[in-house]
Amino acid sequence: MEPRYDPQSVETRWQETWEAEGLYAAEAADPRPAYVVAFPPPNVTGELHMGHALQLALADALIRWKRMQGYNCLFQPGYDHAGISTQYQVEKALEAEGRRRQDVGREAFVELVWDWLRRYGRTIMTQFRRMGASMDYRRERFTMDEGYTRAVLRFFVHLWEKGYLYRDHRIVNWCPYHLSALSDLELDHVEVEDELVYVRYPLADGSGHVTIATARPATILADVAVAVHPDDERYRGLVGRRAVVPFVEREVPVVADERVDPAFGTGALKVTPGHDPVDFEIGRTHGLPEPMVVGPDGRMNGAVPEVAGMTQEEAAAAVLAWCEERGLLERREPYRHTIAVCERCGSRIEPLISLQWWCRMDELKRPALEALRAGRVRYHPPSQHRFAIESLEAAPDWNVSRQIWWGHQLPVWYCPDGHLTVAEREPEACAECGTRELVRDPDVLDTWFSSALWPFATLGWPERTPDLERFYPGDFNITAREIIRLWENRMIFSGLELLGEVPFRDVIIHSTVLAPDGRRMSKSLGTGVDPLDVIAEYGTDATRYGLAKISSQQDTRLSYEAFAEGRSLAIKIWNAARLILLNAEGVRPALAPRDLEERWILARLDAARAGLEEAWGRFDFAEATRILYRLVFDDFCDWYAEAVKPRLSARDPDACATALAALERLLALLHPVMPHVSEEIWSRLPERKARLIVSPWPEPDPRWADAEEAEALERVRDAAVIFRRSGVRVELGSEDERRIFDAVVKPQRVRVDGDREAEIERLRREIARAEGMLANEGFVQKAPPEVVAAEREKLERYRRELAALGDPSC
RNA sequence: GGGCGGUUAGCUCAGCUGGGAGAGCGCCUGCCUUACACGCAGGUGGCCGCAGGUUCGAGUCCUGCACCGCCCACCA
């Protein structure tokens, strides 16, 4: 057995072996109980980042643990087509050649995206494998593959037939670059230096004017009202009168609306329903018209001929010049505020009105809310549960249409008379009038529309496949906080709507990984860390361990120390295994615990197993790493291995057999977090029947569950500490205890600095503390009896130890 | 503005249902003890953010405050 452990070659070899031997495979015909994770499909163009690595480390640990417990585990791999994101990447590539998608045309562009994906896409599954993710890679699915697309169209038709879908003119976030509506969740907000201008709107009766403040003077041309707060004393007499919009000289009403903030600007708001979301709401409330002056490209449209084709800056200049000439421009001041930009391309968002498809949420969300409230789906940590419920309660109708080309085109056809035909397959003729002149709706569906179906569309829905019967509903889902509204809630309500059951029972919201300096990880900041670099330096097992260790907080800093700790752990186990294997040649593993330290380590292994079960069950991954670290370093290596080493060196057959058996158990406990090093060692043990990955999770054995050994070891520990610090040997009761003491402390080699006085001082302090506690009547009467008893025991022990040191006061 | 989380050793963080302030790294000391120097043994180091409260007892529970972070949000 090599003295040095080299993770790189070992890890890739096992990844290939496990997959080739079919040990990741999940089969519908397998009668064992199923355990299923709904794992977020990465973008088809994506690269592995720390978020993926963390998700994989956590989900895979759970899957591996359950696999050892005898479950038929399904860990489904796949990709998301990621609509706008993917389209944008291909558009960027096109732009490098000086072309835009409009130059190539829709059909050719979509073909281009497919080509591009064949060349650059689908690489991330290789990286998933490098993380050791035990996915059934044969089952790879894509949200745009044929069967999945059928599911998406079926979902749309289903919603249409239930009357949940409708078309409506609504104000949307319009990206002038992508020429598409974006959801609120696809926006970024950036701070900009703007200008706030104060403009007078003359009253129609000539009796004066009202001054409004605006950051977007070009939209003055689309104003249809002036609004003030109903309680605003300054404008009490104004409501109901009429004002004149500058430049276009249109008479508009002054209305009262509570959405106006009296403290902002002059307290009077110009109402522009066509280009502002709040104004749109105010306009609908007051039945105002909804003209638009900005076109889809962000420039002025033809509505006002004088400014047609201008940029908004040019139009603003023209409007303000007009106002200035007439003394209507009161003042302009610098104004710093945040604006919405497209998160993909950074273009300033133009709110404008367009015809979109909407999905009514009131009926859909009701059963999902019931399921959440009843705890049929539980979020972890629980603080996210309330957030999930509240955000679902508040969910507005869902804008499902996008004006891009890459995605699932709406299964909607129009005839020249304006009739709609909604069908899964292209219809021959209009469903209403029978004409064959049909034009398909050019829009595609929101990418989350298909993601919502992931837990069951990947299993063959809408067909009732054996996979679907077997693996739905699943067990857990793991994702980032900001995805809850986009994905989690939608999977839950669509699962309930289409299959009548929630798709999973537990949702693990993992922490956000920050850069080591606490800043957000991002390519633009240069703070990104490539998980593959970490793997190259520390190994996959160490990376998985490190990620699990830091996963306990809401926002967690990446820590190289945690990876280094994982690496030390792997090396430590490797060396512990060497100690045993080098001495136990030709011995078969058997549980033949004869001596104290053997019964003790078996009890410790069982205790660790119970602790791990509890931690896995609570999804407390950090706790699991702590248990493993303590088990390996403190218990297994520093005490058990040291204690049993003389007997191993002497080739004591019982000691060797038991050591092998104990090592087997240790490796099994380790496997979910560090599968590679544990499998590598496992493969070198004698008489292997199966790979560790599919070997049983250890069962507890009550034979060595009692506390006697623990107490004896505790006595040895105390004696060792006192000896090392003071050179005084405390009397030990049994032969076993003395033997372990000698093996672990190696008295002949210990150089004692001999500060007996300091040790006496320390024990006196402890005794004083314990005596103080026990003298406290409140403590003795009200504290739990076992706590008081423990305190008494400690006091006794300290006194004994003090006596052993030959303290004159005893 | 709303929600969530954080504030404990020089650094990164544990501390679950209130009863001895902990780990890893760093630093200091001693050890190449035939598994491991990527190691072993020992040590230094802390008004547990601040102020109140509950309790015999608070890092732990309650209230308030301060600072930091993340997510969300329509202030023209």
Side-chain angles (χ1 to χ4, degrees), chain A residues 242-486:
Chain A
R242 297 182 77 76
V244 180
V245 177
F247 202 91
V248 288
E249 305 195 283
R250 177 166 57 228
E251 268 190 38
V252 298
V254 178
V255 300
D257 196 288
E258 293 191 337
R259 280 163 285 210
V260 179
D261 176 3
F264 186 90
T266 62
L269 169 74
K270 73 190 222 20
V271 181
T272 321
H275 298 297
D276 184 279
V278 178
D279 296 13
F280 180 83
E281 298 297 328
I282 294 176
R284 287 263 160 129
T285 305
H286 297 275
L288 299 168
E290 296 166 357
M292 290 194 289
V293 293
V294 178
D297 57 358
R299 300 172 84 95
M300 305 308 289
N301 67 15
V304 180
E306 296 94 313
V307 298
M310 284 186 188
T311 65
Q312 288 186 57
E313 291 72 35
E314 292 163 352
V319 169
L320 293 179
W322 189 95
C323 292
E324 188 144 35
E325 273 170 34
R326 288 156 184 79
L328 298 179
L329 182 57
E330 200 168 290
R331 64 195 160 98
R332 10 191 353 163
E333 58 190 35
Y335 181 50
R336 191 171 180 78
H337 67 146
T338 56
I339 57 158
V341 297
C342 173
E343 71 172 359
R344 307 291 173 194
C345 67
S347 305
R348 190 166 181 157
I349 291 303
E350 296 295 337
L352 50 81
I353 295 171
S354 73
L355 187 56
Q356 301 285 342
W357 282 86
W358 301 83
C359 179
R360 226 182 290 285
M361 287 304 302
D362 43 6
E363 293 292 327
L364 276 174
K365 70 187 177 190
R366 192 171 305 144
L369 281 168
E370 268 171 37
L372 282 168
R373 292 198 187 102
R376 282 189 284 138
V377 178
R378 297 181 303 242
Y379 277 80
H380 309 271
S383 57
Q384 300 304 324
H385 195 83
R386 195 161 58 87
F387 172 73
I389 290 176
E390 283 171 3
S391 55
L392 185 55
E393 280 169 345
D397 282 359
W398 181 12
N399 173 208
V400 298
S401 49
R402 294 289 183 278
Q403 290 68 49
I404 56 173
W405 290 346
W406 173 245
H408 301 102
Q409 195 171 352
L410 267 63
V412 178
W413 285 263
Y414 305 103
C415 81
D417 291 332
H419 301 141
L420 263 75
T421 305
V422 175
E424 284 175 62
R425 291 161 185 282
E426 178 152 13
E428 298 270 307
C430 174
E432 278 187 56
C433 65
T435 175
R436 288 166 178 272
E437 291 177 58
L438 292 174
V439 180
R440 187 166 184 178
D441 193 310
D443 287 359
V444 301
L445 289 159
D446 177 14
T447 192
W448 297 102
F449 191 90
S450 49
S451 310
L453 312 180
W454 187 255
F456 42 93
T458 50
L459 298 174
W461 185 88
E463 311 303 326
R464 293 233 60 110
T465 61
D467 276 344
L468 189 65
E469 300 286 347
R470 193 82 188 84
F471 297 118
Y472 192 91
D475 293 273
F476 78 96
N477 172 252
I478 179 164
T479 199
R481 244 191 344 278
E482 65 266 24
I483 308 299
I484 290 175
R485 299 192 305 172
L486 291 165

